[in-house]
Amino acid sequence: MRGDVARIGPIVQHGAVDGGDLLRRARAGDGRAFEDLVRPEEHALFRHVLRMVGTEPEAEDIVQEALLSAWRSIGGLQGGSFRAWLFRIATNRAIDVIRARRRRGELPLEPSDDEEPGWAEPVVPGPDLPEIAAGAEAVGLVEEALRAIPAEQRAALLLRDVEGFPYDEIALIAAVEIGTVKSRIHRARLAVRNALVARGWRSSSG
Amino acid sequence: MHVDSELSAYLDGELAPAERATVDAHLATCQRCTGRLAELRTTASLIAALPSPRPGRSLVPRVDTLRRLDGVDERGFAGWNWLRPVRSLSALASGAFLFLFLVTAVARSGTGLGGGGTTATTAFGPAGAGAAPATSAAAPAASAAPLVSAAPAPALVPAPAPVFDAASRAAPSPPAEAVSRTEAASPTAVVTRGVAGQQISDPLTEPLFWLALAIVAAATAFLAHRRLRTT
């Protein structure tokens, strides 16, 4: 398993949580402080892992194990974003589960992402964007498209668009360079956009 | 040149100022890229607007009753937990005590101190005549001499010899003589007083003493191990 304990180096803190004191106490071994520190992130961690692995029971287990792992290793946490550190542990676990599934043949192999993906062109005229966006159909299309892209790309896109992490924190979460983050996010977004276009969506300016 | 691959980073505000200016300039003149930027923006907002389900149960572990793993995490955070050295030392001590138990037990059985003196007699050979009375009955200080002279003889039973030597050297003295005269009845009593050469029975030569220590140390190590495992 990838090292899921982060030595996240000093990076820009995003939003000083009131957990300055909580973090200090949690690192000193105060279990209640740790619980108060992670509880605000529980919902976000769950929805992120759910979009990564797809099923609720599995997502619940992964998040719970990730938080337990975080508690065990919080003593070694150096400076940096605590939130990014939690997401790193959870994302790594989710990706490990996905890879294990793939090895067992439960998932199709992920498409190779060597080539630069192209921009799909609308083939048939379809409803305008606002109509799709307002309907449940768009949600289904987006979810389906997300499931189809490689796990690393999906993680980067979710961390950016759903969780709002900046590129540099995503780089630390995924343990890759920023250039890789930029590339993954672009490809992932393009893939979702292409899926919408394939279903007939056309931009109003197209 | 089109700026397709930069559009996402541009949208996310992650381009350096110079790169951003380049894209701005291009967008001002390119309908296609402007349209594509809009598509990416809409895609991003659709993703951001996805339903956000909550977990069906609490996922925060109840850690207030858990200790961190021995204060040492998987990555070697150096907390200090006193149970680990206790466990190790107790295990080592138990082994040492067990060894001493075996040594003293062999010493006792080898010289028949715990029971009859016949073994001692045969082991000691010619000097056994002098040694036997010393071990089985009250004996004057002269018992110290046979013991000393008997020391070289029992090459067959080397283990008891140091015990005798040390004891006889320790106090081949009037106190031992006096005590051994008065306490004639029990061979065991003679043994503990004559051999040890001390006033009071010496627990250091008592096998059961070492066995008891070994058991206590082993129990300590076992309990420490159990405690470490459950945290």
Side-chain angles (χ1 to χ4, degrees), chain A residues 46 49-62 101:
Chain A
F46 173 72
V49 173
L50 178 61
R51 295 259 168 245
M52 288 297 297
V53 301
T55 57
E56 292 206 11
E58 201 159 29
E60 287 177 353
D61 289 344
I62 290 173
R101 264 195 224 151

Side-chain angles (χ1 to χ4, degrees), chain B residues 113-195:
Chain B
L113 292 173
T118 51
T119 310
T121 308
T122 55
F124 283 81
T135 59
S136 62
S143 69
L147 285 176
V148 174
S149 62
L156 299 172
V157 192
V163 176
F164 281 117
D165 267 349
S168 55
R169 272 196 294 272
S173 62
E177 170 187 5
V179 168
S180 57
R181 276 211 193 100
T182 56
E183 298 289 333
S186 158
T188 310
V190 169
V191 163
T192 53
R193 282 156 177 70
V195 171

Side-chain angles (χ1 to χ4, degrees), chain B residues 187-217:
Chain B
T188 310
V190 169
V191 163
T192 53
R193 282 156 177 70
V195 171
Q198 296 174 14
Q199 295 282 356
I200 307 176
S201 65
D202 188 353
L204 292 185
T205 58
E206 175 59 56
L208 290 180
F209 171 71
W210 296 113
L211 182 62
L213 280 186
I215 291 173
V216 168

Side-chain angles (χ1 to χ4, degrees), chain A residues 7-24:
Chain A
R7 294 269 190 261
I8 292 197
I11 59 176
V12 179
Q13 289 262 2
H14 281 266
V17 188
D18 63 347
D21 181 59
L22 278 178
L23 181 57
R24 184 186 53 78

Side-chain angles (χ1 to χ4, degrees), chain B residues 16-142:
Chain B
E19 298 166 327
R20 185 175 186 82
T22 305
V23 175
D24 276 332
H26 178 81
L27 289 175
T29 62
C30 181
Q31 270 285 47
R32 192 190 80 166
C33 288
T34 305
R36 289 183 168 178
L37 179 66
E39 290 166 5
L40 289 180
R41 183 176 288 118
T42 305
T43 304
S45 29
L46 282 173
I47 293 169
L50 283 174
S52 175
R54 291 188 172 275
R57 56 183 171 90
S58 170
L59 306 177
V60 177
R62 296 300 311 280
V63 297
D64 55 347
T65 53
L66 286 180
R67 291 209 328 250
R68 276 178 285 148
L69 288 176
D70 316 327
V72 178
D73 71 354
E74 295 107 334
R75 291 300 174 268
F77 168 63
W80 181 77
N81 185 291
W82 61 277
L83 271 181
R84 284 178 159 251
V86 162
R87 176 182 63 178
S88 309
L89 290 174
S90 297
L92 286 172
S94 176
F97 294 148
L98 206 58
F99 173 73
L100 286 167
F101 160 67
L102 291 172
V103 164
T104 52
V106 168
R108 291 297 178 86
S109 64
T111 58
L113 292 173
T118 51
T119 310
T121 308
T122 55
F124 283 81
T135 59
S136 62

